[in-house]
Amino acid sequence: MSLSIPQAPNAGLFKAGYQSYDAEDAAVLRNIDACRTIASTVQTSLGPYGRNKIVVNHLQKMILTSDAATILRELEVVHPAAKLLVMASQQQEAEIGDATNMVIVFAGELLKKAEELLRMGLKTSDIVQGYEKALDFALKALDDLEIDRVENTRSTEELSKALRTVISAKQNENEDFLAELVAEATLAVLPKNPVNFNVDNVRVVKILGGALEQSKVVKGMVFGREPEGSVKKATKAKVAVFTCAVDISQTETKGTVLLKNAKEMLDFTKGEENQIEAVIKELHDSGVRVVVAGSTVGELAMHYLNRHNILVIKILSKFELRRLCRVVDASPLARLGAPMPDEMGQVDVVETLEIGGDRVTVFRQENDATRTATLVLRGATQNHLDDVERAVDDGVNVIKAITKDARLVPGAGATEMQLIERITEYADKTPGLGQYVIRKFGEAFEVIPRTLAESAGLNATEVLSRLYSAHASQKDRKDKAKYWWCTGVDIDNNDGSGVLDAEEEGILDLLVSKQWAIKLATDSARTILSVDQIIVARQAGGPKPPGPNPNWDED
């Protein structure tokens, strides 16, 4: 009888180099651990007093931000389960553009509570089903917590009301100024039917120097460079947009020319000159007074464009070129020559302005319904400007969400505290093991007010006990106010209690962004809990990725 030698699991089934992690290795708990690490990384960045992170990416570029979506995008997470969380936050970014941090933090807390339940002896299937029931109830309860709505999407004041909280999470102390700026830029491009609002129509140009208060809105598109030639201004002009070089076309092969005398040398470039002059004259005769080049502009072409009084600007980004085509209503041309009438665009004013020490070119349509508005942001450092731009992006995305669902709920952790209250009540009425899971789902919401209190330097346990008692006592009062669930965390601790009335203070969150965040966080947590085995193939061959730079902190 031959001796059987125990082999590695799945030996001979997969190609050599596969790694397999199954339930015997406590795969679920290991996945939960990886996801909690990700959650704890971004948790400290939640809220107005959230800490910034410095991420030095693989190209040695430094990113300083408290925006969870940006941090996770630059970190390049490779763990398969943690990647699911990152995908959920990216989906939130794509759908709403805000509350990406809440998705990660809440999902991490749900997994932490699931780990406690697993150690108590519950099965993952029980937890998944319980979370599903609790999610349905939480979304219904959330609908009842509406305290306000944006009635008029064409009012700066109404839009600012919803934007203040979103922007203060990234740019605390500057939220009032930036909210008005974003509202003004949005109203400049808001179509007759607000549902058709396109976030791409609000652009941002960052100019170093000055203070944030010097930022302003310009109706039209702003480019951070001045025109190439001597013509710097044009009004009521026709525009031609070329994606090719404005120059003599180069042949693919090179030839050698033998010149015998001076006359031949003088005549040599005559043909080229005549050719380019004919093209520029053709442009001028068709009525074009502004040329936008997506590539190089030859010196000879520049000479004739100046002679014919045509303004020329180079825009090397194909995305910017596409947007400009939308603003001036032109078609980008891949050949040099006079455009057809329907290919030409129209612009009211093209002018060069000086902002700070930089000269910029503005394409502006004078009519009310301009197709693009640009926020010109000023600031001391590039990193600060990048962070302000992220806050502005969040604001513009939230306005897009408002056009679909304008309901508002109290912020400062008040909504989460009320959800804990209502979900716990629901758990008490639920029979069987499900009640433990539903109660833990409710408790997970505690992470939001706790993190807000901790990042503001308050005693989180004390603040939470005050919030619990406020929500419980007001619920039992006979003469309760219309909205009695608005008690939230006072991060500035004005009266020393650490709690405030979110409605009175105007701290309002968008209901639809909370809805999506809760939904995506729960779905990703349930997916991770349902995984019992991870099989990782060996990496494909190829050059090794560069290792970490040992001198990253040296200038």
Side-chain angles (χ1 to χ4, degrees):
M1 191 175 95
S2 62
L3 186 69
S4 68
I5 300 167
Q7 285 190 317
N10 302 330
L13 180 62
F14 301 129
K15 261 176 137 179
Y18 269 86
Q19 287 174 302
S20 175
Y21 309 102
D22 59 15
E24 289 166 30
D25 293 333
V28 176
L29 294 176
R30 286 171 60 162
N31 291 346
I32 289 173
D33 197 42
C35 295
R36 279 176 56 194
T37 307
I38 282 284
S40 63
T41 304
V42 294
Q43 188 171 334
T44 50
S45 297
L46 184 75
Y49 285 159
R51 306 290 183 267
N52 284 331
K53 302 271 188 281
I54 290 180
V55 181
V56 181
N57 69 7
H58 63 294
L59 299 172
Q60 302 305 306
K61 184 188 174 191
M62 187 184 88
I63 293 104
L64 183 144
T65 181
S66 62
D67 180 43
T70 309
I71 294 167
L72 294 173
R73 189 167 56 245
E74 296 299 338
L75 280 178
E76 293 184 13
V77 177
V78 293
H79 191 283
K83 253 186 179 172
L84 289 169
L85 278 198
V86 177
M87 284 176 193
S89 89
Q90 286 170 347
Q91 187 58 39
Q92 175 79 1
E93 176 84 353
E95 201 65 45
I96 304 291
D98 182 39
T100 49
N101 207 333
M102 184 184 169
V103 175
I104 300 280
V105 171
F106 184 55
E109 193 67 12
L110 283 176
L111 291 168
K112 182 182 173 184
K113 298 292 179 194
E115 186 178 352
E116 291 171 16
L117 291 165
L118 285 168
R119 293 194 190 284
M120 280 164 56
L122 269 76
K123 297 280 183 286
T124 48
S125 55
D126 296 333
I127 299 171
V128 168
Q129 284 171 0
Y131 276 1
E132 200 168 338
K133 277 185 194 168
L135 172 66
D136 291 342
F137 179 80
L139 294 177
K140 282 176 194 153
L142 192 63
D143 285 339
D144 297 339
L145 300 182
E146 178 196 343
I147 60 166
D148 202 349
R149 58 173 53 228
V150 179
E151 300 292 351
N152 179 11
T153 48
R154 298 197 179 275
S155 155
T156 308
E157 201 176 308
E158 284 280 296
L159 287 178
S160 299
K161 176 173 74 178
L163 289 174
R164 278 182 68 245
T165 315
V166 174
I167 291 172
S168 74
K170 302 272 188 307
Q171 287 293 315
N172 195 23
E173 307 299 334
N174 296 321
E175 65 268 23
D176 292 328
F177 172 71
L178 282 172
E180 280 187 27
L181 215 59
V182 172
E184 186 190 333
T186 309
L187 291 175
V189 297
L190 203 63
K192 284 192 177 71
N193 182 2
V195 179
N196 298 330
F197 169 62
N198 183 359
V199 292
D200 210 31
N201 290 348
V202 178
R203 308 299 311 146
V204 172
V205 166
K206 298 167 286 191
I207 296 178
L208 275 172
L212 190 62
E213 288 70 34
Q214 290 170 294
S215 304
K216 60 180 180 182
V217 175
V218 177
K219 285 185 180 179
M221 272 196 92
V222 177
F223 298 100
R225 61 189 302 158
E226 56 181 325
E228 301 299 311
S230 55
V231 186
K232 303 290 183 193
K233 186 167 182 179
T235 52
K236 299 278 183 223
K238 286 186 177 171
V239 185
V241 180
F242 296 105
T243 56
C244 58
V246 181
D247 199 358
I248 286 288
S249 53
Q250 301 288 326
T251 54
E252 283 183 20
T253 55
K254 286 192 172 140
T256 308
V257 179
L258 184 64
L259 301 172
K260 295 194 175 68
N261 52 38
K263 186 176 181 303
E264 280 184 12
M265 194 171 180
L266 287 169
D267 292 343
F268 177 62
T269 56
K270 272 275 172 22
E272 276 189 6
E273 286 176 30
N274 295 341
Q275 193 183 342
I276 197 85
E277 186 179 11
V279 170
I280 304 300
K281 190 172 185 312
E282 205 179 301
L283 275 176
H284 181 268
D285 292 346
S286 67
V288 171
R289 292 295 174 270
V290 176
V291 166
V292 178
S295 188
T296 54
V297 180
E299 286 180 18
L300 198 58
M302 194 75 253
H303 165 73
Y304 287 115
L305 286 162
N306 282 339
R307 185 188 280 187
H308 286 91
N309 218 26
I310 296 174
L311 183 144
V312 191
I313 183 165
K314 260 199 299 194
I315 298 170
L316 300 178
S317 161
K318 63 181 180 187
F319 301 107
E320 295 291 319
L321 206 64
R322 214 174 285 160
R323 289 184 191 106
L324 181 63
C325 286
R326 205 166 57 223
V327 171
V328 299
D329 202 17
S331 301
L333 303 171
R335 50 164 179 81
L336 195 57
M340 306 292 286
D342 59 333
E343 293 173 330
M344 280 190 275
Q346 177 76 30
V347 68
D348 291 343
V349 179
V350 182
E351 59 185 347
T352 309
L353 304 174
E354 189 160 331
I355 299 175
D358 295 25
R359 293 180 70 77
V360 297
T361 306
V362 181
F363 279 73
R364 195 168 71 240
Q365 304 287 26
E366 295 289 311
N367 60 349
D368 292 336
T370 179
R371 294 182 186 88
T372 301
T374 304
L375 274 158
V376 179
L377 297 177
R378 308 298 312 280
T381 66
Q382 193 62 45
N383 281 321
H384 177 235
L385 283 174
D386 290 344
D387 222 25
V388 175
E389 183 186 11
R390 287 183 200 108
V392 167
D393 278 350
D394 280 10
V396 175
N397 280 306
V398 161
I399 290 178
K400 175 70 176 169
I402 287 170
T403 59
K404 294 176 182 171
D405 189 341
R407 293 176 295 167
L408 299 168
V409 292
T415 303
E416 283 79 7
M417 289 307 299
Q418 191 54 39
L419 285 172
I420 297 172
E421 196 80 36
R422 296 190 181 196
I423 292 168
T424 307
E425 273 181 29
Y426 173 60
D428 293 341
K429 296 172 192 166
T430 308
L433 286 173
Q435 62 178 294
Y436 296 107
V437 182
I438 293 168
R439 189 173 285 108
K440 288 287 185 191
F441 184 93
E443 285 172 20
F445 281 104
E446 195 184 278
V447 72
I448 304 295
R450 179 184 288 280
T451 307
L452 288 174
E454 281 172 356
S455 64
L458 305 173
N459 183 334
T461 312
E462 201 177 303
V463 171
L464 278 169
S465 65
R466 284 195 181 126
L467 286 174
Y468 275 120
S469 68
H471 280 260
S473 63
Q474 285 179 316
K475 181 185 70 174
D476 298 334
R477 274 169 52 182
K478 296 280 188 288
D479 58 334
K480 54 188 172 190
K482 187 183 174 190
Y483 304 123
W484 45 268
W485 55 82
C486 293
T487 312
V489 182
D490 181 3
I491 56 170
D492 294 322
N493 203 13
N494 293 320
D495 59 359
S497 68
V499 296
L500 51 64
D501 188 308
E503 189 194 10
E504 275 178 24
E505 297 293 328
I507 303 170
L508 304 167
D509 285 338
L510 201 61
L511 186 141
V512 69
S513 67
K514 283 229 188 292
Q515 220 170 29
W516 272 97
I518 295 167
K519 208 184 292 182
L520 288 166
T522 312
D523 284 351
S524 57
R526 279 168 44 207
T527 308
I528 290 161
L529 289 170
S530 304
V531 173
D532 76 330
Q533 191 170 10
I534 296 177
I535 302 167
V536 183
R538 190 176 67 182
Q539 279 194 330
K544 281 187 179 175
N549 176 10
N551 307 318
W552 66 271
D553 57 343
E554 291 180 12
D555 290 337

